[in-house]
Amino acid sequence: MPQLIVIAGADRGKRFTLKDLTVGIGRHSSNPIHLDDNRVSRHHLELRASPNGYTLVDLGSGNGTLLNDKPVQQTELRPGDRIAVGDTVLLFTTDGSTGTASVNLAEPGSSRISGVVRSIPADAGSVLLKDPTKANTAWLRTRLSNLAVLYEAATAVSDILDVDELLEKIMSLVLRTTEADQGCFLLKDAASGALLPKAVRARIPGTADLAVSRTIVDHVLKEQAGILIANAAEDDRFRAGPSVARHRLREVICVPMRGRHETVGVLFLDTQTGVDDARFTDDHLQLAIAIAHQAGLAVEETRYYGAMLHAERLAAVGQTIAGMSHHIKNIMQGVRFGSDMVRTALKDDDRELLAKGWRLVEKNQARIDDLILDMLSYSKERDPIIESTDLVELVQDVLELVRGRAAEAKVALAFAPPADFPKLPCDADGVHRALLNLVGNAIDALDGRVNGTVSLELRLVGDRVELDVRDNGPGIPADQREEIFKPFISSKGNRGTGLGLPVSRKAIEEQGGELLLVSEEDRGTCFTIRLPVKRPATAS
């Protein structure tokens, strides 16, 4: 059965089984696969059933879709493909079936089918798996019992991601369905290779006194074969082992936990002396090695994803530290330069130089404050406060705040307030912060440019409100238009924190909106804040 496994992002660890012909993926709660990721569009993409499995179709998402690190619009999925949307990465897996065989259904003849000996209801299979004792013959009861155990083990493997919890559940299942007195898993430590006991359990709770024969375990690992020992104390290969004699091991089943690529441990089961009749059979051995194989696959898969997530986490931490270090270093250079000016001015009693040095120190202190505020805003999840807002007044307030800065840069500000514009529900603080950042960026882009103008336009378009911030500056090169939304990427050099645009996008998307960008080199840039008129169901 095809599945999507979230291997990175806020929903990491979740599994989604693909059953429908069309499966929507996005931030909106109406999607069968709902992702808690602000950088994912409300309806981001669809997986559509095809003859060979599923086809991925991007639905015009704001941030696009990457398949194995390459942008895609529509493509067939293959097992092992990694789908990246926003900050979320999903792994596409299947059971390996391809469905390539062709079937020709002949035209129906007579409506009556002759020769039917017996019919059985469609739901009989599930009934028999739940209770194999209802089968008619001993042969069928035995085989259905084993099949039911494997089915239960497969369900545990698919639903449980924690290795210890998984092995505990499987051991409980093994003791319930075999004649073992007690048992455990011995799992190879990924780093040292040492065998570590896991899920040590006894049929009667509290009576476990398990001594695993190292001789038997070494033999199984060396030969890569499961064994059933009818009388360990009489077997020439194992009776010399001290644990066999000391703990009176009578019957033993020991099987390797073989994954796809390596053996990750063994499953060890035993009975002890005091019972004359043999309890372990070949059926028990075959059942144990099948369950151990499923457990081995699950352990191997969990370790693989754990290593991949650890590597991704370290890479993300490294990038963050590198970005922060770069910006802090630039700010501190300004602080040191200003401090040197102040020190020299005090020594020479130069009040003019003192004023310049102190202004430089204050300016860089403000940059440190901005960096800290941006980092807090970007890292902290917040619920937007949706309330009736006068957007015209909000825009005018932002323009008043930047008017002095614009005059210093010789940039004209233009805004024609629309008449009778209604109050609309939105998070006023989030919109104000995003707009202030966008207007400030536009002014910086025009600094020193002749006839620089920043114009704002507010309008209602159907069920949404749009607010443009447009400048006639140099524009943004095509290869940088998505990069500038990533943390610690700044086109301002030493003047920016690299978090302004990510924080602005996050503030808008938290309330169900979008931050759009259109830019032409040498002709200018337009950022558009787009907000729903009605608060979306996913916004808190």
Side-chain angles (χ1 to χ4, degrees):
M1 181 70 71
Q3 284 189 331
L4 284 179
I5 304 170
V6 183
I7 60 174
D11 300 287
R12 184 180 62 196
K14 289 186 178 179
R15 292 174 180 245
F16 302 96
T17 301
L18 306 179
K19 300 178 181 178
D20 299 330
L21 295 178
T22 301
V23 181
I25 300 176
R27 198 176 71 246
H28 198 278
S29 58
S30 62
N31 290 289
I33 297 180
H34 168 224
L35 299 176
D36 186 17
D37 186 337
N38 287 328
R39 296 192 62 223
V40 172
S41 296
R42 286 174 290 176
H43 299 283
H44 198 105
L45 63 89
E46 284 183 348
L47 301 184
R48 299 172 184 172
S50 63
N52 296 320
Y54 276 92
T55 298
L56 181 154
V57 180
D58 187 274
L59 301 178
S61 60
N63 291 325
T65 300
L66 300 179
L67 185 70
N68 301 324
D69 301 324
K70 294 182 180 179
V72 294
Q73 292 295 324
Q74 181 169 331
T75 186
E76 288 281 337
L77 290 178
R78 296 180 179 180
D81 279 345
R82 288 175 290 108
I83 305 168
V85 289
D87 296 321
T88 301
V89 180
L90 306 104
L91 182 75
F92 178 72
T93 66
T94 69
D95 58 4
S97 59
T98 60
T100 56
S102 61
V103 177
N104 181 25
L105 290 176
E107 293 296 324
S110 168
S111 61
R112 185 172 179 273
I113 303 175
S114 60
V116 175
V117 177
R118 186 183 176 201
S119 64
I120 189 169
D123 62 351
S126 60
V127 173
L128 289 172
L129 277 177
K130 290 179 181 177
D131 188 3
T133 60
K134 294 183 178 180
N136 294 330
T137 65
W139 178 89
L140 183 58
R141 282 193 293 273
T142 299
R143 281 150 183 81
L144 282 177
S145 295
N146 289 345
L147 185 60
V149 174
L150 291 176
Y151 175 77
E152 192 172 343
T155 302
V157 166
S158 64
D159 290 344
I160 302 175
L161 291 175
D162 181 80
V163 170
D164 290 344
E165 181 185 356
L166 170 69
L167 296 181
E168 286 283 352
K169 185 165 184 176
I170 292 181
M171 180 55 66
S172 176
L173 174 65
V174 169
L175 292 179
R176 195 175 74 238
T177 54
T178 68
E179 298 296 318
D181 288 326
Q182 52 195 4
C184 74
F185 289 98
L186 294 174
L187 207 60
K188 281 186 179 179
D189 181 72
S192 65
L195 291 172
L196 305 177
K198 300 285 184 180
V200 181
R201 299 282 295 276
R203 176 184 298 280
I204 302 174
T207 63
D209 182 23
L210 186 62
V212 176
S213 168
R214 185 68 197 229
T215 308
I216 294 174
V217 170
D218 288 345
H219 175 84
V220 168
L221 291 174
K222 179 181 178 181
E223 300 296 329
Q224 287 294 295
I227 57 173
L228 186 163
I229 306 172
N231 194 334
E234 299 298 327
D235 194 303
D236 292 337
R237 294 171 297 174
F238 310 119
R239 63 182 177 182
S243 59
V244 173
R246 186 182 311 121
H247 293 271
R248 300 176 300 161
L249 298 182
R250 185 171 185 271
E251 294 178 290
V252 172
I253 285 179
C254 187
V255 294
M257 297 170 64
R258 179 70 186 174
R260 287 184 179 86
H261 307 294
E262 62 176 334
T263 298
V264 299
V266 298
L267 166 60
F268 189 93
L269 305 170
D270 73 27
T271 66
Q272 296 182 344
T273 56
V275 179
D276 295 332
D277 297 330
R279 286 187 275 168
F280 285 159
T281 67
D282 286 343
D283 283 343
H284 291 134
L285 176 62
Q286 293 181 39
L287 182 62
I289 203 164
I291 292 176
H293 176 58
Q294 287 186 319
L297 290 173
V299 170
E300 194 177 62
E301 182 180 271
T302 302
R303 285 178 173 175
Y304 169 73
Y305 291 130
M308 185 163 58
L309 291 173
H310 182 64
E312 289 182 351
R313 191 177 298 115
L314 287 178
V317 170
Q319 290 175 354
T320 301
I321 291 174
M324 288 175 58
S325 300
H326 172 74
H327 287 288
I328 292 172
K329 180 190 71 174
N330 291 334
I331 293 172
M332 291 309 298
Q333 283 178 346
V335 172
R336 280 195 295 270
F337 185 54
S339 299
D340 289 341
M341 291 175 65
V342 170
R343 191 178 299 110
T344 301
L346 290 173
K347 181 179 178 181
D348 298 340
D349 195 21
D350 187 339
R351 300 184 67 84
E352 184 178 351
L353 183 62
L354 178 62
K356 288 181 179 179
W358 184 245
R359 280 199 300 271
L360 188 57
V361 171
E362 284 187 320
K363 182 179 179 180
N364 283 280
Q365 180 181 317
R367 290 177 61 200
I368 292 175
D369 289 340
D370 289 342
L371 176 60
I372 293 172
L373 288 173
D374 283 342
M375 288 174 61
L376 289 173
S377 297
Y378 187 72
S379 62
K380 181 181 178 181
E381 292 296 328
R382 64 179 291 271
D383 292 330
I385 301 174
I386 307 297
E387 56 189 2
S388 181
T389 302
D390 187 335
L391 288 174
V392 172
E393 184 179 318
L394 185 147
V395 172
Q396 291 173 331
D397 181 64
V398 168
L399 292 178
E400 193 61 34
L401 289 174
V402 300
R403 201 169 299 281
R405 181 175 168 187
E408 185 178 342
K410 297 181 180 179
V411 173
L413 301 175
F415 174 57
D420 301 323
F421 199 82
K423 288 187 175 183
L424 296 172
C426 68
D427 178 14
D429 287 342
V431 175
H432 190 282
R433 183 170 182 79
L435 183 60
L436 183 60
N437 185 274
L438 296 176
V439 175
N441 285 350
I443 293 172
D444 289 340
L446 294 168
D447 193 2
R449 200 174 179 90
V450 179
N451 298 323
T453 302
V454 177
S455 57
L456 284 76
E457 181 183 352
L458 181 63
R459 60 185 177 274
L460 275 173
V461 182
D463 61 350
R464 62 181 184 267
V465 60
E466 294 184 349
L467 176 54
D468 289 343
V469 178
R470 189 185 306 273
D471 67 63
N472 59 347
I476 301 171
D479 60 346
Q480 296 180 19
R481 289 172 195 165
E482 189 56 37
E483 290 293 312
I484 60 175
F485 286 102
K486 295 181 179 179
F488 303 110
I489 302 295
S490 176
S491 60
K492 299 181 185 180
N494 293 343
R495 295 180 298 167
T497 66
L499 282 172
L501 283 175
V503 168
S504 298
R505 172 180 271 182
K506 179 173 179 286
I508 299 304
E509 291 183 343
E510 280 175 343
Q511 48 192 308
E514 296 176 290
L515 180 57
L516 309 176
L517 166 63
V518 176
S519 185
E520 294 183 62
E521 292 191 58
D522 298 322
R523 299 193 63 180
T525 299
C526 179
F527 284 91
T528 300
I529 295 174
R530 179 182 290 172
L531 295 168
V533 171
K534 294 183 179 179
R535 184 183 181 188
T538 52
S540 299

